[in-house]
Amino acid sequence: QTDLSLTKGESAEIRYKGRLKSENFDAGSLFYFDAVRNLQFDLEVDGSGLSAETINAKAEGVVNSLDFRGYNYSNIKLKG
């Protein structure tokens, strides 16, 4: 689920703000990073940039579940 606003900011960067929620997101396949699988989260995000070099974002919420390198982590609270 998402309620995300995307806009083009100054100097053509992408800006985003809103809520992102997922029950079973395979982040590893999307970002070509096999160590991360089965991500479940509910986050409010506000930022800009889409690459590691340009991202400037804040996120608040919870990562309910995350499989990382074969281990499962749960109830990770994010603020900042």
Side-chain angles (χ1 to χ4, degrees):
Q1 294 177 324
T2 183
D3 182 12
L4 192 65
S5 171
L6 295 172
T7 58
K8 195 179 256 190
E10 293 179 24
S11 63
E13 87 263 5
I14 300 295
R15 294 205 43 81
Y16 39 85
K17 184 173 183 171
R19 183 177 183 199
L20 294 172
K21 183 177 180 179
S22 175
E23 295 296 324
N24 192 15
F25 177 60
D26 188 358
S29 291
L30 180 65
F31 298 112
Y32 305 104
F33 186 61
D34 290 335
V36 178
R37 297 285 180 203
N38 302 324
L39 187 56
Q40 297 177 21
F41 56 85
D42 189 357
L43 301 171
E44 290 286 330
V45 296
D46 184 4
S48 64
L50 297 176
S51 71
E53 294 82 21
T54 63
I55 194 167
N56 182 11
K58 291 184 179 181
E60 186 170 338
V62 64
V63 176
N64 305 99
S65 180
L66 164 67
D67 290 339
F68 181 73
R69 298 187 187 240
Y71 294 93
N72 182 268
Y73 299 89
S74 59
N75 298 319
I76 302 166
K77 295 182 179 171
L78 300 176
K79 186 171 184 174

